[in-house]
Amino acid sequence: MAEQLHSAFESSMDKTNLILKDIEQAYGWPKKQRNQSYCALRTVLHLLRDRMPVQESVEFAAQLPVLVRGIYFDGWKPSDVPIKLNRDDFLLEVRQGFPYDAEGGPERVVRVVLDTLRRHVTQGEWEDVKATMPRDMANILP
């Protein structure tokens, strides 16, 4: 049992590191800037989560690695969602939650993170996520 738990934990760590590495590669950031890739991931995950209806949010999270799922649900208040944010408000919130200067600004941060996450969930689930977004938001989702 302990071996299975260790293996599951290692697998989740590997998948999480792959997601962070994909974000870093998109920007050309070295691994020593892992705090930036983590901050980008966390910021976009939380805003996406809070923009979706509870059921869709849970279904999306179920496909994430366990460690990323923990980041996703950290501080979540299901009774407070979905928060209605249009595209500009969403990008403003990203800018406030991601205090680093990144090429392409908040919109590119969102695109890089979401493109990375899209590769880790099924196409059907991704289409469900996009369907919950207003048209101006759906345009920035890959």
Side-chain angles (χ1 to χ4, degrees), residues 4 68 94 108 111 123 128:
Q4 288 175 334
V68 176
V94 170
R108 181 149 185 251
R111 287 184 188 274
Q123 182 64 31
D128 289 349

Side-chain angles (χ1 to χ4, degrees), residues 86-113:
N86 63 31
R87 179 183 180 278
D88 292 338
D89 292 338
F90 190 92
L91 294 174
L92 179 63
E93 292 291 327
V94 170
R95 183 66 193 130
Q96 291 175 348
F98 183 76
Y100 303 96
D101 288 327
E103 181 183 326
E107 186 167 342
R108 181 149 185 251
V109 170
V110 171
R111 287 184 188 274
V112 165
V113 171

Side-chain angles (χ1 to χ4, degrees), residues 122-139:
T122 64
Q123 182 64 31
E125 184 56 42
W126 193 252
E127 292 302 322
D128 289 349
V129 168
K130 286 178 75 168
T132 68
M133 297 293 142
R135 193 169 306 157
D136 69 335
M137 283 286 299
N139 291 336

Side-chain angles (χ1 to χ4, degrees), residues 75-88:
W76 190 42
K77 295 180 182 167
S79 60
D80 294 346
V81 299
I83 296 171
K84 302 295 182 191
L85 293 174
N86 63 31
R87 179 183 180 278
D88 292 338

